[in-house]
Amino acid sequence: MSASIAATPDGAQAQPAPRPPMRTLGLYLLLGFSAGLPFYMFNAVLTLRLARHGVDIVIIGFFAWIALLPTFKFVWAPLLDRYSVPGFSRFWGRRRGWIMLSQLGIFLSMVAMAFTSSDQSLPLTALFAILLAFWTTTLEVAADGWRIELAPTQAQQGPIVAANLWGYRSAMVAAGSGAVLVAAWADWTWAYLAIAIAAFLPFPMLAAMRPEQPGATGRIRALASGTLISLALIAIVGLATALIGWAALSAVQGAGFSAQTNVTPIVLAIALLPFVALAIALPRIRRLPADAPAKMPGFIAPYVEIFWRFGYAVLPVLAFVSFYRMGDVLTLTLSHPLWNAAGYSLEQISVADGIVALACSMAGVAVGGLCAARLPMTVALIIGACASAVGNWVFVWLWYAEPSAFVLYVAAGVDQFGHGLEGAVFVVYLSMLVSPRYPGTQYAFLSGFAFLLPRLIGGAAGAIQKQIGYDGFFILSGALSFAAIFFLPIVMRVRPRAGAVHG
């Protein structure tokens, strides 16, 4: 597929494509499950855990900034395209090698979170949550690059994205419901240990898979050497993260920031910086010759290429993607603290995050995948934005309604359906913007940038909630998600510049 075809987001004239094989769909169901389990544990489940321990809502909001780490996955995504994990990659290939390393990192980080689940030391809680977010994101980068290589067209992407999100969202639901239920029966230590074991189950399944090259030998030796090298890498990353975190925390405290500081204006100013930087850089990038990206170092070539290809149109595209997932991110930040404040028990929250959320999320993903595969992308994106907005506004009704299981389950169901639908459409849209030369890195950049503004605001969610209440917060978050529609008349007219040379 040429870059121009891949970058054309409107699917009205999409060419027929064969359906991906069932083994590919099954693979991405598994990979989605592997990434979804840990994501909920450093996000929604952690915010609920902190709320149950009486941590201030503003501090809980700050923990939402941990989810910013996936936003910057484009920083290390080129390493996954360029380097292999010794041991693992020699037998199973580069993509699976990184996935196996990531699963080891996920398991050990979650075990560490289990044994610090009293949250007596919030910096320590934050350290292990950050490590869990890092390894979860690394797994997603490897899986996303593989997915785009396997299915380069919009018609092929729809079923694979749906399978991946079925696995991802079912795992999130299993993690949320299962962890909360175990915490209700035992404590948070057992909850995190149970999910850590479940998250590690795909590792032996991957280890049992066929080698990348038919006839390759040395499975046991590759597994042993890959595990030892991976443990060393995980330890190095953990130590580096601890040192960086200590320096950052010291700097923040030295500057006088605390839970009482109004961080919202600061957050909004920071959110504008990437757009300002892009506006400054674009004129020079636009003047480059067509073969310039191909001659640049592999670390920066993917980013220069996408800016060269879209030119100034990249600014409204990035603004659009920043708003589109706003409702999803902000709901995940404060929905569980809201349920706790409204008086719902851990058992009720477990059911809402379990059977109800699973059924509605799967239905939403299926509808979203169908919309992305069958409808013009403009129409599919509008449907997704509306569904996301309703998924936020339903929590206003929950806040004012008399607490009951029915109210909680309806609100959770509407939320999961809307955001599942929106997410499926959005993944296909982003996949159509990338160049086939740099699928993993460019997708990592676009999907990461899409969550930058929402997650920056998410970190200030606690401070915003104190100013306007839970009702005002969810009215605002739904409106921001709906506002993405107003970018579509501009975004859908964007066409890539032809002539890029990829070498």
Side-chain angles (χ1 to χ4, degrees), residues 452-467:
L452 176 60
L453 180 60
R455 286 171 176 161
L456 276 171
I457 295 177
I464 296 172
Q465 187 275 334
K466 278 198 170 182
Q467 296 292 323

Side-chain angles (χ1 to χ4, degrees), residues 182-206:
V182 172
W185 290 345
D187 58 24
W188 289 108
T189 296
W190 284 108
Y192 272 78
L193 286 176
I195 301 303
I197 293 171
F200 193 67
L201 289 178
F203 182 92
M205 298 175 66
L206 284 168

Side-chain angles (χ1 to χ4, degrees), residues 57-58 61-62 65 257-272 330 334 452-468 473 476 480:
I57 189 66
V58 176
F62 291 164
W65 277 330
F257 287 96
S258 69
Q260 285 69 47
T261 304
N262 183 10
V263 298
T264 305
I266 300 171
V267 167
L268 293 177
I270 293 173
L272 290 175
L330 296 182
L334 286 193
L452 176 60
L453 180 60
R455 286 171 176 161
L456 276 171
I457 295 177
I464 296 172
Q465 187 275 334
K466 278 198 170 182
Q467 296 292 323
I468 62 178
F473 177 83
L476 174 63
L480 290 173

Side-chain angles (χ1 to χ4, degrees), residues 379-437:
V379 177
L381 288 168
I382 291 174
I383 293 172
C386 292
S388 176
V390 173
N392 280 66
W393 291 331
V394 72
F395 286 110
V396 180
W397 168 68
L398 178 144
W399 183 244
Y400 284 105
E402 187 71 23
S404 70
F406 172 79
V407 170
L408 177 62
Y409 301 157
V410 169
V414 172
D415 162 45
Q416 289 290 328
F417 178 86
H419 292 134
L421 189 160
E422 166 214 34
V425 172
F426 190 64
V427 169
V428 175
Y429 170 72
L430 288 188
S431 299
M432 295 299 100
L433 294 175
V434 304
S435 163
R437 174 69 175 176

